[in-house]
Amino acid sequence: MTETVLFWIIAPLSLGTALSVVVLRNPVHAALMLVGNFFTIAVLYAVMEAQFLAVVQVIVYAGAIMVLFLFVIMLLGVERQLDFGERIRGQRAAAVFLGVVLLAALTVGVAGPYLGADSACPTTAEQQTEPAASPQACRGLAEANADGNVFGVGRLVFTDYVWPFEVTSVLLVIAALGAMVLGRRAEQDSDLVDVLRRERVPAGGVGDASYQAELQQSLEEDPR
Amino acid sequence: MAVPAGYYLALAAALFVIGVVGVLIRRNLIVMFMCVELMLNSVNLTLVTFSRINGNLEGQVLSFFVMVVAAAEVTVGLALIVNLFRLKASTDADDVDALRA
């Protein structure tokens, strides 16, 4: 019952905020609507007994990622730039038409088999009594979440998926390094591709006495 | 009476299509990027729903990894957009035409 009420409140909100992201002209407004959309999706996660993901969604998406977006929008000052002019005639109509086709295909192909009333998921409170009758029946997470959702996800991440988990840490380090290299202010275009070669190497290596003295002097002149 | 799982999948499909149409019709790179985030989120919603349908948590773990990849993607993508803005003083996708013949 709670799930039904929440779903029919949250689903239109989610669709409305998503549409606003596409329709609103001002990028700041679009970003704020996107934050709203992330919150609605977090609520849906909580309804679907994915409490860990609901919290992570709020912290990572609505917190970190959207702050990054807003920061860049403000930094570049592009909130008054208008787009929406059509460069190719009929592009927008074609895009909407293809979108409708894709929506029909996805609804029939992915959601279609699970639209029947027998696919309703049993919540943890109301345990499923008889075993799943139809192949489309929803099993529910009562069993998997028996020790708590965070415990279950954590057990999977640190046993079966520990190798992908380690790889994601490497990925994050690479992303941070990439952002640093890209965000570095370049005096010339060639700086972007050739950072290392422009570094001045002293004759006697970094430990060279004259180089150290010069470094010290430059630091005193301009302590940055 | 609970909600059939297909309704969540249909909602996720609708969100994904809104993201696709947004990428196709908007020209501002930052807004296009936000639409990509919308698509990633809708796929996460699908994964969580299927995790519930199948009664195991692997879909939620995959969804978690998608979030990590999205965070990495946003860092690099926004750095690229900032660099493009320095070069072109614009975030319009149509202004990035250096490879045009």
Side-chain angles (χ1 to χ4, degrees):
Chain A
M1 190 60 213
T2 325
E3 185 185 349
T4 316
V5 174
L6 267 176
F7 180 82
W8 289 113
I9 293 173
I10 292 297
L13 269 179
S14 184
L15 285 176
T17 47
L19 270 177
S20 316
V21 172
V22 177
V23 170
L24 287 179
R25 283 164 183 270
N26 189 329
V28 178
H29 296 169
L32 290 176
M33 285 296 138
L34 194 57
V35 175
N37 190 48
F38 288 163
F39 272 112
T40 60
I41 288 181
V43 173
L44 286 180
Y45 286 165
V47 170
M48 287 198 284
E49 297 163 83
Q51 289 90 352
F52 174 70
L53 280 181
V55 173
V56 169
Q57 172 86 8
V58 171
I59 294 174
V60 173
Y61 265 114
I65 291 184
M66 286 323 293
V67 166
L68 209 57
F69 265 108
L70 280 173
F71 184 76
V72 169
I73 292 172
M74 300 295 185
L75 179 75
L76 300 185
V78 290
E79 61 266 21
R80 281 182 303 279
Q81 281 191 0
L82 296 179
D83 57 1
F84 271 105
E86 272 191 321
R87 291 275 171 97
I88 307 169
R89 187 192 300 269
Q91 184 199 5
R92 207 179 304 166
V96 172
F97 173 71
L98 287 176
V100 170
V101 172
L102 183 62
L103 177 62
L106 284 177
T107 311
V108 173
V110 180
Y114 299 101
L115 285 176
D118 57 338
S119 294
C121 292
T123 53
T124 315
E126 36 180 285
Q127 292 281 346
Q128 199 174 20
T129 45
E130 72 267 29
S134 72
Q136 278 84 36
C138 176
R139 294 215 185 87
L141 287 171
E143 200 180 327
N145 273 348
D147 296 324
N149 178 251
V150 180
F151 187 92
V153 173
R155 187 168 49 197
L156 269 179
V157 167
F158 291 111
T159 54
D160 292 358
Y161 293 93
V162 71
W163 177 237
F165 179 74
E166 298 295 339
V167 173
T168 54
S169 69
V170 177
L171 180 77
L172 284 175
V173 171
I174 293 172
L177 281 176
M180 274 166 62
V181 171
L182 286 172
R184 185 177 166 280
R185 183 168 291 281
E187 285 91 31
Q188 296 171 6
D189 287 351
S190 58
D191 278 9
L192 285 177
V193 285
D194 200 355
V195 176
L196 291 175
R197 208 197 271 169
R198 295 175 64 84
E199 206 71 41
R200 201 175 55 91
V201 179
V206 186
D208 188 67
S210 63
Y211 174 71
Q212 288 287 346
E214 200 180 320
L215 197 67
Q216 192 62 41
Q217 192 187 354
S218 73
L219 278 177
E220 279 163 9
E221 282 170 4
D222 187 12
R224 262 184 302 186
Chain B
M1 192 59 236
V3 184
Y7 287 17
Y8 291 101
L9 297 175
L11 173 67
L15 289 176
F16 187 86
V17 168
I18 290 172
V20 170
V21 172
V23 170
L24 286 177
I25 69 174
R26 292 302 293 254
R27 295 217 318 268
N28 189 330
L29 279 172
I30 297 176
V31 179
M32 286 168 81
F33 212 36
M34 289 199 263
C35 291
V36 172
E37 295 302 311
L38 213 56
M39 281 150 58
L40 280 169
N41 261 287
S42 77
V43 172
N44 273 348
L45 191 60
T46 314
L47 284 172
V48 172
T49 310
F50 274 115
S51 147
R52 199 177 179 209
I53 290 173
N54 289 322
N56 64 39
L57 293 173
E58 314 222 336
Q60 294 188 16
V61 174
L62 191 53
S63 187
F64 174 66
F65 285 133
V66 170
M67 283 182 186
V68 175
V69 173
E73 173 230 343
V74 165
T75 357
V76 176
L78 285 177
L80 282 173
I81 289 177
V82 170
N83 255 325
L84 266 176
F85 187 80
R86 277 184 195 154
L87 216 57
K88 302 270 181 187
S90 144
T91 53
D92 194 323
D94 285 338
D95 287 342
V96 189
D97 53 0
L99 283 179
R100 189 180 223 167

